[in-house]
Every structure is written in structure tokens, then in C-alpha cells.
Amino acid sequence: MATSSQWIAGARPRTLPAAAAPVIVGTGAAAQLGSEDLLRGLLALGVALALQVGVNYANDYSDGVRGTDTDRVGPMRLTATGLARPRQVKLAAFAAFGVGSLLGLALVALSGQWWLIAVGAVSIAAGWYYTGGRRPYGYRGLGEVGVFVFFGLVAVLGTTYTQAGRISWPAAAGAVSIGLIACALLMVNNLRDIPTDALVGKRTLAVRLGDHRARRVYAAMVLLPIALAVACAFVAPWSLLVLLLVFPAGLLAFTVLVGARGFALVPVLAGTGAYELGFGVLLGLGLAL
């Protein structure tokens, strides 16, 4: 029987700050339009955190029952280690998705944009079928597509839209930027797992690209958002605050490009998550000022 601390670890709390980044950018973009709303922003944050926990438990369950987590480098998994029964982990995922749904309904009710319920339903389905179902799209190299769309475009633009009733091109630039960094987070995770994923038939984008090209793609995903943030400075000059992250971004890219692998990629994974949060805070603040 898993302890409470093991359940918390299974939720992968280190991923949660990165889940907050799109909400911060989206709220900053709403402020740039003169329509920020703290309550709606907090509800959007609750939705993002709940869905992230749901996705983490769903991946734990689905990868565990498939046997793809038996030999891996990285955070502890509840299902694969036998610390929790698969059904318990599955229920935990559904519970988190349920919390996210309730918070999302409250946000939709406040904004009056009822069509966003459909977007939320598709987002939850995307979270489950990333590794769940008969043909999980994450096993076919499409994980980054799902992450870019739902943890980038939908999360940022949805946050802005529910507060301002419209979106702007700085919001779109921020959404693309956050989506790219979220993809970088997934890419470095899958880069670390290429040897084991290839053996069990998990054809992630990193496996499909191969080690060398996956490293270059990661570097591009980390560095391109800096350029997009600089472009935002034409309407929001304080967006240049993101330039404070040039060195950390370069260091992450360099570490991966020179060939770090296995356990050496674990701090890069943590650093990429911290970079996403830092980017979200600085760009969100820059847009709001």
C-alpha cells in the first residue's frame, strides 16, 4: 500500500510549476488588453494544475499496465513498482480530471463562454489517450503535438479569452512560446528514455528522430521562445525581461547538445521545468506592465 508521500511523489509535483506558466502568460496577455481578472485567473490555474496531476496519474497507470515503465530512469511510478494497484491509480487520475472539470465549469460560467466546455472535454480526452486506450498517440510520436496544442495554445489562449473575451497576437506568441518549452520538457524526458522506449515499442518523437536530431530539436524548442518574447516587446517593452533567461536557456541547450544522457538528463529535465516557469513569470509580467 502506497503511503501519502508516495502518492504525492506519483503526482509528480515538480511538473506543477510548469503547468502554472501558461496561466501566468495568459493572464499577462489579458492585462495587456486591460481585462485581467484575478478570480478567473485563479480558476484557470486550478484547472491547469488538476489536469496536470490527472495526466501524470493517467500516464503512470497506462504505462504501468503496459509494462513500459518496468526499467526506466526518472521519478518513481506507483503502478510499475507495485506500490499501488492499477485501479487505484486510474481512479486517482479520474478524480483529478473531475476536480479540473468542476473548476473549469465555474470558469466557463463566469466568462459566459459555454462552448469552452467542449474544449475542456477534448483536453481531458487528450490527457487520457496520450498513453491510454488501444492506440495511444504518445506511442506514435505525436506526444509533442498534444502538448503543444493543449499545454501551450489552449492553456494560454483559453486563459486570456476567459478574462478578456478576445485574444491578441502577443497572447498567441506567448502561447506558441509556452507550447514549445512544454514540448522541450517532454522531449528531454523522452530523450532520456530512448533506449528503454525503443525496446518496448514506444515510438516517441525522440525515438523516431534518433538521439542526435532529438537533441537539436530540444535546443530549438528552448531557444526560439526567447525570440518570440523579444517580438512582443514592440507592443509590451517590458517583455524584454525574458532576456534574463538567455544564459539558462543556452546552458540547457548546450548540456543536451554535448551529449548528456541517462541520469545526467534528470537535472536538465528539472531545469527545463524551472525555465518554463521563469519564462512564464517574466513574459506574463512583461505583458502586464
Side-chain angles (χ1 to χ4, degrees):
M1 183 67 69
T3 64
S4 57
S5 61
Q6 288 170 331
W7 276 104
I8 292 172
R12 302 182 69 180
R14 289 184 180 180
T15 64
L16 299 185
V23 177
I24 296 171
V25 172
T27 300
Q32 195 262 331
L33 292 170
S35 303
E36 73 277 11
D37 186 299
L38 179 60
L39 177 57
R40 297 182 193 186
L42 289 174
L43 284 171
L45 178 61
V47 171
L49 295 176
L51 293 188
Q52 182 66 64
V53 171
V55 169
N56 290 342
Y57 279 136
N59 291 346
D60 188 307
Y61 165 78
S62 297
D63 284 340
V65 296
R66 280 190 169 86
T68 57
D69 269 350
T70 304
D71 182 19
R72 71 189 301 274
V73 177
M76 178 272 303
R77 293 296 184 103
L78 294 164
T79 307
T81 58
L83 288 170
R85 296 174 183 174
R87 184 173 180 274
Q88 292 176 314
V89 181
K90 185 178 182 180
L91 288 175
F94 287 168
F97 286 143
V99 170
S101 297
L102 292 175
L103 294 173
L105 284 173
L107 178 58
V108 167
L110 284 175
S111 67
Q113 305 294 337
W114 294 99
W115 63 273
L116 288 174
I117 292 176
V119 177
V122 173
S123 299
I124 291 174
W128 176 258
Y129 287 107
Y130 169 59
T131 56
R134 286 186 173 184
R135 296 173 62 83
Y137 65 89
Y139 281 45
R140 292 183 285 166
L142 298 174
E144 280 77 4
V145 175
V147 165
F148 181 78
V149 170
F150 294 102
F151 286 93
L153 303 184
V154 171
V156 175
L157 298 180
T159 299
T160 301
Y161 192 76
T162 53
Q163 294 181 48
R166 58 195 175 105
I167 58 175
S168 60
W169 75 260
V176 171
S177 298
I178 290 295
L180 286 172
I181 302 173
C183 287
L185 196 60
L186 180 59
M187 178 64 77
V188 73
N189 180 76
N190 291 338
L191 179 64
R192 180 198 63 197
D193 294 336
I194 283 178
T196 53
D197 284 346
L199 287 176
V200 297
K202 189 174 181 180
R203 302 281 294 171
T204 63
L205 181 60
V207 170
R208 289 183 177 276
L209 290 174
D211 185 90
H212 182 66
R213 284 187 294 179
R215 293 175 185 276
R216 291 188 173 187
V217 170
Y218 168 84
M221 289 173 172
V222 166
L223 296 174
L224 280 176
I226 299 287
L228 289 171
V230 169
C232 291
F234 286 103
V235 294
W238 283 100
S239 297
L240 293 176
L241 284 170
V242 172
L243 290 176
L244 294 172
L245 296 175
V246 168
F247 178 74
L251 183 61
L252 288 169
F254 177 77
T255 302
V256 171
L257 288 172
V258 297
R261 62 187 66 249
F263 281 107
L265 286 173
V266 173
V268 177
L269 183 62
T272 306
Y275 170 60
E276 182 174 1
L277 177 60
F279 185 95
V281 170
L282 292 177
L283 181 58
L285 181 62
L287 291 174
L289 291 176

